[in-house]
Amino acid sequence: MDYKIVPMSAAHIDEAVKAEEICFSVPLTKEGFERELKNENSHYLVAAGEKVLGYIGVHEIAGEAYIHNIAVLPEYRRAGIGRAMLKSACDGARERGCEFITLEVRQSNAPAIALYEKCGFAKAGVRKNFYSKPAEDGVIYTKYFRGEV
Ligand code: COA
C-alpha cells in the first residue's frame, strides 16, 4: 500500500475527525485536533495515502511520552500501518529524549493489545473504570527505551 507517515497538518484534520468518529465512542472533535496541533507538547503523525489512512498522537512532557490516540481506518487494517505509525512515534519520542512511552487501552481491545505487545510494550497496571461509553478498565502498557539505539 502506498502511504507516507508525515506530521499531521491542518489539511488532515477533517479526514482525521471522520476516522475518529468511526473508530471511537468518545471521538476527538475538530476543535480538539486544532488544539493538539497548536500544543508544543503534542506530536501527531498521519499515515497519508489516497487519504488519511490512520494517525497517532503522542504527548511528551518531562521525558515521558504518552500515546493519546492511535487509529487506522477499518478497511486499511492488518496491513502494517498501525505498527509503522507506532514505530515512528516511538522513534520520535526516543530521539527527543523521552525515557519511556505509555498508554491506556480498553481491556477488551484485543487487536490494540496485540499490536502493543508485538511492538515491545509490557503491561504495567490497570486504571479502574478509566473508560466511559461503555465503562471499562484501562490497561496500562509501557515501553522503556533503555538500551535501544
Ligand atoms: N487481531 C490480532 N492481532 C492484531 C490485530 C487483530 N485484529 N490487529 C493488529 N494485530 C497485531 C498483530 O500482531 C499484527 O501483526 P501481523 O498482522 O503481522 O499479525 C500487529 O498487531 C500489527 O498490526 P497492524 O496491521 O500494524 O495494525 P493495524 O494497522 O490494523 O492497526 C489498530 C491496529 C489497533 C490501530 C487498529 O485495529 C485500530 O485502529 N483499532 C481501532 C482504534 C483503536 O482501538 N485504537 C487503540 C486505542 S488504545
Side-chain angles (χ1 to χ4, degrees), residues 87-146:
K87 182 175 185 321
S88 291
C90 289
D91 288 349
R94 195 187 57 234
E95 284 161 13
R96 287 184 289 267
C98 290
E99 293 174 13
F100 66 85
I101 186 162
T102 190
L103 57 90
E104 290 95 11
V105 56
R106 285 183 183 270
Q107 62 179 1
S108 63
N109 193 344
I113 288 173
L115 169 67
Y116 302 137
E117 290 183 344
K118 189 158 200 171
C119 292
F121 286 67
K123 186 174 171 179
V126 174
R127 292 195 205 283
K128 294 302 278 181
N129 282 317
F130 182 77
Y131 291 102
S132 57
K133 297 189 178 179
E136 189 172 350
D137 292 350
V139 185
I140 303 167
Y141 272 85
T142 301
K143 177 183 170 86
Y144 285 87
F145 299 133
R146 272 192 300 266

Side-chain angles (χ1 to χ4, degrees), residues 23-24 70-72 77-83 104-105 109 111-112 114-116 118:
C23 295
F24 296 109
I70 175 171
V72 174
R77 289 181 192 163
R78 287 317 285 271
I81 296 173
R83 192 175 181 187
E104 290 95 11
V105 56
N109 193 344
L115 169 67
Y116 302 137
K118 189 158 200 171

